[in-house]
């Protein structure tokens, strides 16, 4: 699957993805009861897509937090880098666009390049640490990645 020229989509992952990564043992991959999370999906210069879930409550700084949306007035909503997943198989991507609030869509689009840069940096710092080329302090690595699903995607990340 190639994304449209603007190289992003807002969608959900398919049941095939959740069947391939069931909980347990893949407990860090987010799934709401009976439905998948809406995600911002974008293509990287690597051979995979990054899928960042939209969340209502994010209590850490490893995320893009909405500041101008209706939901952000009552919640700490945004896109959660700590729960992003790596998608290498196009059958894991639902071709139906997901529905999100218009104000969240607008804030995402205004900040799209920043979000993509921050998410890719989050992944690359993980890879660098695990490969030993750019070690983070143990506490910092644990703070960022202890609950991250990235540990399930070492093959896709070339680790």
């Amino acid at each position: 699957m190639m994304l449209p020229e603007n190289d992003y989509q807002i969608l959900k992952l398919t049941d095939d993805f959740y069947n391939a990564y069931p909980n347990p043992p893949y407990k860090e991959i987010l799934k709401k009861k009976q439905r998948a999370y809406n995600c911002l999906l974008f293509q990287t210069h690597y051979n995979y897509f990054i899928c960042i879930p939209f969340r209502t409550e994010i209590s850490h700084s490893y995320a893009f937090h909405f500041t101008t949306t209706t939901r952000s007035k009552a919640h700490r909503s945004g896109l959660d880098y700590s729960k992003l997943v790596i998608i290498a198989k196009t059958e894991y991507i639902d071709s139906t666009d997901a529905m999100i609030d218009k104000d969240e869509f607008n804030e995402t689009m205004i900040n799209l390049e920043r979000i993509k840069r921050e998410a890719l940096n989050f992944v690359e710092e993980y890879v660098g640490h695990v490969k030993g080329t750019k070690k983070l302090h143990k506490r910092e690595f644990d703070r960022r990645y202890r609950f991250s699903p990235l540990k399930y995607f070492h093959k896709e990340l070339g680790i």
Side-chain angles (χ1 to χ4, degrees), residues 19-142:
N19 291 335
Y21 295 96
N23 180 0
Y26 300 98
K27 65 181 182 173
E28 302 304 342
I29 294 175
L30 294 178
K31 183 162 192 212
K32 294 179 181 177
K33 285 267 189 244
Q34 305 304 319
R35 65 186 180 96
Y37 274 77
N38 292 330
C39 293
L40 172 66
L41 182 102
F42 67 90
Q43 205 159 9
T44 68
H45 56 281
Y46 303 109
N47 289 329
Y48 57 77
F49 297 91
I50 291 178
C51 184
I52 314 165
F54 285 82
R55 295 187 72 191
T56 302
E57 294 294 342
I58 306 170
S59 60
H60 55 77
S61 61
Y62 309 110
F64 175 81
H65 290 274
F66 294 127
T67 57
T68 63
T69 66
T70 302
R71 188 183 343 222
S72 70
K73 305 297 183 228
H75 300 279
R76 297 202 57 205
S77 58
L79 289 151
D80 190 347
Y81 305 144
S82 76
K83 291 298 184 181
L84 66 78
V85 295
I86 303 299
I87 304 296
K89 295 184 177 182
T90 57
E91 59 266 24
Y92 292 164
I93 302 168
D94 192 330
S95 59
T96 308
D97 285 346
M99 300 296 291
I100 64 167
D101 295 338
K102 186 166 181 50
D103 57 353
E104 289 186 357
F105 175 82
N106 290 339
E107 191 166 348
T108 299
M109 293 304 99
I110 289 167
N111 293 285
L112 184 61
E113 291 308 313
R114 172 184 162 192
I115 293 164
K116 287 167 42 178
R117 183 178 62 251
E118 289 175 355
L120 191 55
N121 188 52
F122 188 83
V123 172
E124 288 176 342
E125 286 183 351
Y126 176 84
V127 171
H129 178 86
V130 173
K131 284 185 168 182
T133 57
K134 187 182 175 201
K135 283 292 207 184
L136 297 167
H137 188 280
K138 181 180 178 351
R139 276 196 307 254
E140 180 61 23
F141 182 80
D142 287 347

